[in-house]
């Protein structure tokens, strides 16, 4: 019997999670379709990074479910999620500074055969010529912006079907921010879905197809980014004035 692919590549249903006895996420519903960019917006402390960690298996959830390509990720590890095609690029610079750029990327693809790993590294570096020319230098010698590019490239080596980018613009110059957003757009054009957590609201809205807004651990708004009067609706959602 033929069964069609699910409409949503990623779907969170009634998700609840937190740290110890402190519950951060409250009945969160969120979906990402194949080949689209979804922005997750909200003030500091809204629960955005907690949600990303729960989606990728870094944080267990206490209620609800997360489906990826129609299959539950319950009880899985971040490695299980990555092998399924869900790759989470965590906020901040997480590179091995004493290793070369090449070796950092090789570690990201440790679980694939050498020939395929080299191909994936070439493809990832093609997005970032700034670090491609420094592939044999120590990662610690890169600028902060270049290290952020390397972090994203590590995610690309895993050939994601869905790439979660958590605050990719943090600490970057405007020029490098535009480069990272350009990469996200190119990934979408190639069929990769992107879930983007970002504080630069205007840039995120210009890039994304749809958005969710969070406040106090809840989704308070979801909308198409081309809908009218979106900025006012976002402000109302942030300040708890939504219906």
């Amino acid at each position: 019997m033929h069964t069609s692919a699910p409409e949503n590549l990623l779907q969170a249903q009634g998700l609840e999670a937190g740290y110890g006895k402190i519950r951060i996420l409250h009945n969160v519903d969120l979906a990402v379709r194949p080949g689209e960019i979804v922005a997750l917006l909200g003030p500091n402390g809204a629960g955005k990074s907690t949600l990303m960690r729960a989606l990728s298996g870094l944080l267990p959830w206490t209620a609800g479910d997360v489906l990826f390509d129609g299959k539950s990720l319950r009880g899985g590890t971040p490695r299980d999620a990555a092998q399924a095609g869900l790759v989470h690029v965590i906020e901040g610079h997480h590179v091995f500074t004493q290793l070369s750029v090449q070796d950092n990327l090789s570690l990201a693809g440790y679980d694939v055969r050498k020939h395929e790993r080299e191909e994936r590294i070439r493809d990832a570096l093609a997005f970032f010529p700034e670090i491609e020319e420094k592939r044999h230098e120590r990662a610690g010698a890169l600028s902060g912006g270049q290290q952020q590019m390397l972090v994203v490239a590590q995610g690309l080596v895993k050939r994601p079907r869905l790439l979660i980018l958590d605050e990719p613009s943090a600490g970057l110059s405007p020029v490098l921010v535009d480069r990272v957003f350009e990469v996200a757009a190119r990934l979408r054009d190639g069929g990769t879905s992107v879930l983007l957590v970002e504080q630069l609201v205007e840039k995120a809205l210009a890039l994304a197809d749809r958005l969710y807004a969070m406040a106090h651990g809840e989704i308070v708004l979801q909308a198409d980014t081309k809908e009218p009067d979106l900025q006012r609706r976002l402000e109302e959602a942030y300040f708890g004035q939504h219906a």
Side-chain angles (χ1 to χ4, degrees):
M1 177 179 178
H2 175 73
T3 56
S4 59
E7 178 184 0
N8 297 318
L9 180 60
L10 175 75
Q11 185 166 12
Q13 303 171 328
L15 199 63
E16 300 190 1
Y19 303 94
K21 296 182 179 180
I22 302 175
R23 187 165 55 139
I24 305 296
L25 304 180
H26 305 276
N27 196 32
V28 171
D29 292 335
L30 177 145
V32 181
R33 301 168 188 144
E36 73 169 352
I37 296 178
V38 173
L40 181 64
L41 308 176
N44 289 331
K48 303 185 300 297
S49 291
T50 299
L51 175 56
M52 298 305 98
R53 293 173 65 86
L55 293 175
S56 64
L58 288 169
L59 180 68
W61 59 85
T62 55
D65 204 356
V66 177
L67 304 178
F68 188 74
D69 199 18
K71 299 178 181 178
S72 175
L73 297 180
R74 177 176 297 279
T77 65
R79 181 180 180 183
D80 294 331
Q83 288 181 335
L86 191 162
V87 175
H88 182 186
V89 176
I90 302 170
E91 178 185 1
H93 303 147
H94 298 272
V95 300
F96 294 98
T97 56
Q98 298 304 311
L99 297 181
S100 69
V101 169
Q102 174 80 21
D103 288 343
N104 269 272
L105 295 173
S106 293
L107 285 173
Y110 74 95
D111 55 348
V112 298
R113 293 180 178 179
K114 182 177 180 180
H115 177 75
E116 181 180 352
R117 182 167 65 243
E118 291 301 317
E119 179 182 340
R120 292 187 181 194
I121 290 172
R122 286 194 300 271
D123 290 346
L125 286 174
F127 284 96
F128 299 107
E130 297 91 339
I131 62 173
E132 196 281 332
E133 62 188 24
K134 299 184 177 183
R135 63 188 301 167
H136 299 300
E137 296 183 19
R138 283 191 310 108
L142 301 178
S143 68
Q146 290 169 341
Q147 287 188 27
Q148 180 73 331
M149 290 181 179
L150 177 55
V151 170
V152 177
Q154 287 175 318
L156 298 183
V157 168
K158 298 180 182 297
R159 292 274 173 89
R161 299 174 64 193
L162 169 63
L163 184 66
I164 296 177
L165 293 175
D166 193 352
E167 302 282 5
S169 69
L172 297 187
S173 68
V175 172
L176 293 184
V177 170
D178 289 343
R179 287 282 293 108
V180 173
F181 277 43
E182 175 192 334
V183 168
R186 289 171 61 191
L187 289 172
R188 173 181 54 194
D189 293 344
T192 299
S193 301
V194 178
L195 179 55
L196 174 70
V197 181
E198 188 50 69
Q199 293 285 0
L200 300 177
V201 174
E202 290 187 4
K203 284 186 176 292
L205 293 182
L207 175 69
D209 303 292
R210 294 188 301 115
L211 72 89
Y212 290 85
M214 287 191 77
H216 308 295
E218 299 178 349
I219 299 295
V220 294
L221 175 67
Q222 56 177 305
D224 189 294
T225 54
K226 293 181 176 58
E227 292 182 18
D229 207 16
L230 197 52
Q231 288 285 1
R232 180 190 61 79
R233 294 173 62 197
L234 275 171
E235 292 175 6
E236 290 183 352
Y238 287 179
F239 290 105
Q241 298 169 356
H242 57 288

